[in-house]
């Protein structure tokens, strides 16, 4: 039953008309539908502000190469120009500049879910170097404050990121050891 539902979902999402719903290439189209569950992509200016917020969050303790790669990878997959993203990487981000960027971002989105996704991606960016520092945590909370997102919501997203990392590690171990891995904890029909 579960497999049939997954198959129906995959078939429904793969139709040619749905693959071109936002006028972007297959990468950004896939990303916005599958990751953000959005039926309409925001304008590029909104996405550049989104990306700039990620950079601002990570820049507070210096941008590590892994954080830079996360920002570049996400931005390019959203359909943004790599050279413009790199330009933002070299800028200085004080709170007033961050606030202006966040306010411009918030004006450009109609779905509040984007605020949660922004916080999520800020945390992901900041922890790409395997160190979500106190300075970064504080900067993420400042960004959340500009978005009117509560500390409790930020804490929930942080817990989700940790849980997601644990599940990804478990999945990676499973994929590497297919012949040895048997999940005795869960019997969900797969």
């Amino acid at each position: 039953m579960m497999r049939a539902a997954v198959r129906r979902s995959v078939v429904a999402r793969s139709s040619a008309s749905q693959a071109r719903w936002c006028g972007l290439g297959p990468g950004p189209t896939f990303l916005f539908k599958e990751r953000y569950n959005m039926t309409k992509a925001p304008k590029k200016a909104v996405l550049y502000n989104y990306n700039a917020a990620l950079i601002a969050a990570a820049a507070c303790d210096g941008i590590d190469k892994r954080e830079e790669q996360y920002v570049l990878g996400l931005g390019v997959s959203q359909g943004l120009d790599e050279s413009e993203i790199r330009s933002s990487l070299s800028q200085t981000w004080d709170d007033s500049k961050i606030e202006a960027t966040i306010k411009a971002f918030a004006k450009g989105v109609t779905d509040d879910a984007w605020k949660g996704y922004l916080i999520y991606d800020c945390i992901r960016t900041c922890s790409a170097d395997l160190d979500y520092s106190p300075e970064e945590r504080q900067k993420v909370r400042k960004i959340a404050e500009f978005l009117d997102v509560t500390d409790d919501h930020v804490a929930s997203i942080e817990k989700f990121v940790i849980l997601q990392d644990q599940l990804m590690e478990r999945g990676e171990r499973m994929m590497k050891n297919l012949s040895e891995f048997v999940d005795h904890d869960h019997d969900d029909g797969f």
Side-chain angles (χ1 to χ4, degrees):
M1 180 154 169
M2 178 68 92
R3 288 182 188 170
V6 170
R7 208 175 356 222
R8 280 192 305 274
S9 176
V10 169
V11 170
R13 285 181 275 169
S14 65
S15 73
S17 63
Q18 288 178 342
R20 291 172 184 77
W21 58 266
C22 64
L24 297 170
T29 299
F30 178 84
L31 179 76
F32 289 115
K33 181 66 180 142
E34 295 300 318
R35 182 167 189 203
Y36 302 115
N37 196 28
M38 298 291 168
T39 58
K40 185 176 180 204
K43 293 180 180 178
K44 290 245 181 183
V46 172
L47 292 173
Y48 278 111
N49 286 327
Y50 186 98
N51 211 267
L54 306 182
I55 294 166
C60 67
D61 69 348
I63 296 182
D64 176 272
K65 196 68 167 166
R66 292 166 289 190
E67 293 169 332
E68 179 181 311
Q69 289 303 309
Y70 186 90
V71 168
L72 287 169
L74 181 60
V76 169
S77 68
Q78 290 173 330
L80 302 180
D81 181 76
E82 183 177 343
S83 63
E84 290 189 44
I85 298 167
R86 286 190 183 281
S87 170
S88 293
L89 283 164
S90 62
Q91 295 180 20
T92 304
W93 294 94
D94 62 16
D95 281 351
S96 63
K97 185 174 180 178
I98 294 170
E99 182 176 17
T101 299
I102 297 302
K103 297 294 182 187
F105 161 77
K107 281 184 182 178
V109 294
T110 56
D111 189 333
D112 276 349
W114 276 107
K115 295 176 182 181
Y117 287 120
L118 178 59
I119 298 303
Y120 169 84
D121 278 327
C122 281
I123 295 165
R124 277 274 167 229
T125 301
C126 291
S127 60
D129 62 353
L130 307 177
D131 179 31
Y132 184 38
S133 72
E135 295 85 5
E136 290 170 327
R137 182 173 274 122
Q138 182 179 6
K139 191 60 69 177
V140 168
R141 280 174 166 63
K142 182 57 114 176
I143 290 168
E145 180 184 315
F146 293 144
L147 291 168
D148 296 323
V149 173
T150 68
D151 278 349
D152 287 344
H153 197 153
V154 174
S156 293
I157 296 171
E158 288 171 335
K159 288 177 187 174
F160 172 73
V161 168
I162 291 167
L163 177 62
Q164 190 177 40
D165 286 345
Q166 291 168 345
L167 289 171
M168 288 302 294
E169 287 174 17
R170 183 172 184 219
E172 287 170 10
R173 284 193 314 271
M174 179 181 69
M175 298 305 168
K176 290 177 183 175
N177 302 307
L178 284 176
S179 63
E180 299 171 20
F181 186 89
V182 178
D183 186 357
H184 296 289
D185 297 335
H186 301 89
D187 184 18
D188 56 7
F190 281 95

